[in-house]
Every structure is written in C-alpha cells, then in structure tokens.
Amino acid sequence: VSKAAGELRRHLGRDMPVSELDFHEVSGLGVPFPVAPVLIQKPATLQLKSGLSMPLLVFAVSGKRRPSVTDLAELLRMGVRHLQVSPSVVQAVGQAVRLSQVPRSELFISMLWEPPLDTSAKLDSLTEQLGFVDLMILPQTPELESVWKHLERLKARKRFKALGVKDFRPEEVEFLPGNGESVEYAQCAFTPYRHGPRRDTWRRFGQREVALAATGLFTDWPRPLPPLLDPHVLIIARRFKRSAAQVLIRWALQLGLAVVFHSQRKQHVAENLAALDFELPMREMQLISGLATLAEPVPPGDGFATGWKGQGRVGWSGLGGRALR
C-alpha cells in the first residue's frame, strides 16, 4: 500500500467529475465514506508522507497484561513487525527484540508519548534500549501546544523519525502548531459501526496524507453488539472460512487503514497476521461498510450517500477495482 490510498481519499474533497475517478454505481448502501479496495501485498506496509515505510498490522504492548519477554520474542519470530509500546514496557520490549534475533532494521517501533519523556535525556535512556523509535504518538494531553512544539524539536534532533496523534479529531489536528502539517499518523476508534470520531474522519485525514490506524475494531464499546458477533460479519466469515476477527481486519486493511490490536494468546496473533492471506470482494466490503447505516442512519444528501445527486453535489459510491500498491 502506498500514498495512492491517500491520493484517492484526497480526491474525495475535490470538485471533479465522477468519470475522472473511475467510480461505478453500487447497490445504494449509503456508506459514510467510499469503499476503496486496496491490494495488500506482503510485506504489508504503508508509506508515510515522509517516505517512512510502516507495517500495517500493529501489535500494542502496554503495562496491562503484556506478554512475557519470551512470548513477545516468539511473536516477533512469528511475523509481528510493528510494535506500539508505552514507556513502561520499553525494557521488556528491548529484551524481547534481542532474544528474538529479528534484525532491528526489520522492525518498526512506535511509542506513546507520556509525561515521563519530557526531557531529551529521559527519552534517550529509553530509546537506547530499542535501538531507535520510528514513530512518536501523542495522545490527548493538557498544554497541547507546548508539548507538540517540544516533540517537533525532538524530531528535528532525530530522536525519532515521524510524529503521530491518538484520539484526535481531524479539526483538532488542524489547530496544532503549524496547522499540524508534521502529523503523519492518526490513531482512533474505527469500526464498521463507527468510522472514527466523525464520519468524514477517513476522508479528511486522507486529504492531509495522514495514515489512519484503527483501534477498538473488535469491540466498539459501549455498543451492545460487538462487531465480532455481528451476524453479517459471521456470515462473511463462514463464507470465506475465516474468523470474524480476520474479516474485520481485512476490511480495515482494504480501506487503506493500519490496524492496532493486542492479545495474550499467540494463536490469536497468528490468526490476525493471517488476515494478509485472503481478499474480500467488493460486495462484502460494501456490506461491512454499510453496517454503519444500521447503527446510525446517514441522511441523504450529506455528500456521502451512494447515488444521491442534488444541489450540484454527487454522493460517492464505491470505488472501482483499482489496485493500490
């Protein structure tokens, strides 16, 4: 997957004829963003706008119920290539990387920013245990402007390679210093029922060439029916002889999203990695994306509903089968 996914999303904010985008009509699901099938090839990576190549499947490691050093090393040998870590687990992660004997150059490590990292010395003491940090991710925090400027200075000093945000709305990124132009990655809750904090999240981050990562893909708390148990997802899983988790991950990947997950069981991690081994046809992609209209109906004429035309606006339908690399 490359910048082509972001290019398609940027097109959605432009006033151009449908024919120029190679769209075709679909069966009127009214999904709140167009269905963009992306060709996923191994190794499954997405190129950030700075040129950094980021693996799409992200295994999150935090202080809560983290795997043991031995188990984490085994996951790396199984094929996990992107680790998202909190500062509290850096020492264990560093030990696991060395134990796995997977070359550090083959791994991508992102870190969640926390107040203990407020000085270069403290950050250096942690990054030395990991070799280096590829991506620093800022969650919502007080004194946002000063913290962001501090992170930009650290990036300029090559303490890490790229900057991202977590649980930010698109408009909140725009209010960061410099209009948030240094943001390359955004992570938020994203499920078939709720496509980010607002339903144009996918499109607006795409227009900024910001890579979007989905969290909470399996649960969508506090909704009573988790996507893993949704009957539509289960039918698709049976049809393709896959698990519901694999179907949901594959759906997100084919939208051009990265997927953040965590698990204490190696078999679940292996199952998630196997989502790279099959492809969902357009019909199934449309069905899963259309579940959002059952959870929260989309009013016609909002610029997203399929096939609706009025007041000079076109409601986008699903994208054609253009392959993205």
Side-chain angles (χ1 to χ4, degrees), residues 48-71:
L48 302 180
K49 61 183 177 182
S50 64
L52 192 63
S53 184
M54 182 188 77
L56 286 168
L57 292 179
V58 187
F59 184 74
V61 187
S62 66
K64 295 181 179 180
R65 298 179 296 178
R66 68 165 177 81
S68 67
V69 169
T70 302
D71 285 346

Side-chain angles (χ1 to χ4, degrees), residues 67-141:
S68 67
V69 169
T70 302
D71 285 346
L72 187 53
E74 178 61 25
L75 297 182
L76 294 174
R77 288 191 287 265
M78 287 167 51
V80 170
R81 287 297 177 267
H82 185 166
L83 295 174
Q84 183 177 110
V85 305
S86 62
S88 63
V89 300
V90 163
Q91 182 177 6
V93 170
Q95 293 172 350
V97 170
R98 292 187 289 273
L99 181 62
S100 73
Q101 298 186 329
V102 175
R104 176 63 182 86
S105 59
E106 295 182 11
L107 301 176
F108 188 101
I109 296 182
S110 53
M111 182 183 291
L112 295 173
W113 174 265
E114 293 180 4
L117 302 176
D118 57 359
T119 67
S120 297
K122 292 177 182 178
L123 178 60
D124 289 345
S125 68
L126 291 178
T127 56
E128 285 176 3
Q129 301 178 62
L130 300 173
F132 53 89
V133 172
D134 296 280
L135 172 67
M136 184 65 72
I137 303 170
L138 177 66
Q140 288 283 4
T141 183

